[in-house]
Amino acid sequence: MDLKQIDYFLALAREGNMTRAARQLNVVQPALSMQIGRLERHFGKSLFDRTPHGMHLTPAGRTLLEHAAAIRREVDRTTEEMSRLDGRISGRVAIGMITSAAQSTLASSSAKVAERYPEIRLLVCEGYTDTLVEWVGAGNIDGAFVNMPKVPASLAGHAVLEEDMMFAFGAGNARTFPKRVSLDTVAGLGLVIPSRRHGLRKILDDAASEAGFVLKPRLEIDTLSAVCEIVATTDLVTVLPGVALYRALADRRLQARKIVGPSVSRSVAWVTNPRRIVSAAVTAVVDIIADDLISAASAAARAVR
């Protein structure tokens, strides 16, 4: 067993799909299958159950996952410590990000990491809060940016950002909206929001429930960039955090209003596993991403009229 096989195994365990794992590793699928087959022959056990719905770890695979993740962490930590002897920050950083963060500032943040820290190898996984928290707890990633209420007691949560959810509509929308819009008024419009699997939807549903009504959206779409595009080109409207809206607001394709009665906010946290040492490389990456998220939220807040 070598490090390449460990990396291939970890990627497949994380993705649960041969095609996605191969894409993440930047290899062809037969190469990934071959390495997984070698691992299974080495241990004399099946590591994955192959089903029409994906690849699922067997009991042997779950045992290997625990040890393989620990091996990879120790190798990365050793590599980083050796590099730091020369004053360099390097190593592999694997983080998770909720959709609203990943689809807004990730591109610019990643470019900054690449420019400032050329010896950092960055892996970013996008997902729902529940999934990301599970990965952090299992040691599959170094940490994750998630919606704060979902942080379990077994993990360490560090507040990054608290921002208001905003009512947004296309710049060409035929209707005129006041500077302050109540949540129940929004509920009566053609609303486009994420599905109930999405953390932002739970925040919206909880706020509506507390106000005594139920949201009945026209469209439910989890890809927030698509939500913004639909709202910008139709008379439909949305409620999203400023981080998800700020690019469209800056381009003047959307306009936004504050929500009142009640106001709705969300908190973003950086979550880590207390049993895992946070490296200098992880800290450097997190600082860049957090700063960009805060800047995006502030820019969106300034754009609200």
Side-chain angles (χ1 to χ4, degrees), residues 172-192:
N173 195 300
R175 294 192 58 170
T176 300
F177 298 100
K179 292 184 177 181
R180 302 289 185 270
V181 180
S182 65
L183 189 58
D184 59 343
T185 298
V186 173
L189 303 174
L191 194 57
V192 187

Side-chain angles (χ1 to χ4, degrees), residues 46 58 65 69 77 81 83 103 131 150 158 166-167 177 200 237-238 257-258 270-271 277 285 291 293 299 305:
S46 176
T58 63
L65 176 61
R77 189 175 298 119
E81 290 300 322
S83 297
Q103 294 183 6
T131 302
K150 287 285 188 175
H158 314 275
M166 301 176 180
F167 167 66
F177 298 100
L200 294 179
V237 300
T238 190
R257 300 288 189 266
K258 289 187 176 182
W270 166 248
V271 179
I277 297 174
V285 170
D291 285 347
L293 288 173
R305 296 187 295 169

Side-chain angles (χ1 to χ4, degrees), residues 79-80 82-90 119:
T79 301
E80 181 192 352
M82 296 301 289
S83 297
R84 289 177 65 183
L85 294 176
D86 299 325
R88 305 194 313 269
I89 295 180
S90 65
E119 296 187 46

Side-chain angles (χ1 to χ4, degrees), residues 65-126:
L65 176 61
E66 180 179 347
H67 294 285
I71 291 170
R72 169 42 77 184
R73 288 196 300 270
E74 289 303 319
V75 170
D76 290 342
R77 189 175 298 119
T78 300
T79 301
E80 181 192 352
E81 290 300 322
M82 296 301 289
S83 297
R84 289 177 65 183
L85 294 176
D86 299 325
R88 305 194 313 269
I89 295 180
S90 65
R92 181 177 180 272
V93 176
I95 66 171
M97 294 185 73
I98 48 176
T99 303
S100 56
Q103 294 183 6
S104 56
T105 60
L106 178 58
S108 59
S109 297
S110 299
K112 290 176 184 177
V113 171
E115 180 181 1
R116 297 179 191 177
Y117 304 103
E119 296 187 46
I120 288 180
R121 292 175 291 115
L122 178 61
L123 167 66
V124 181
C125 304
E126 180 181 336

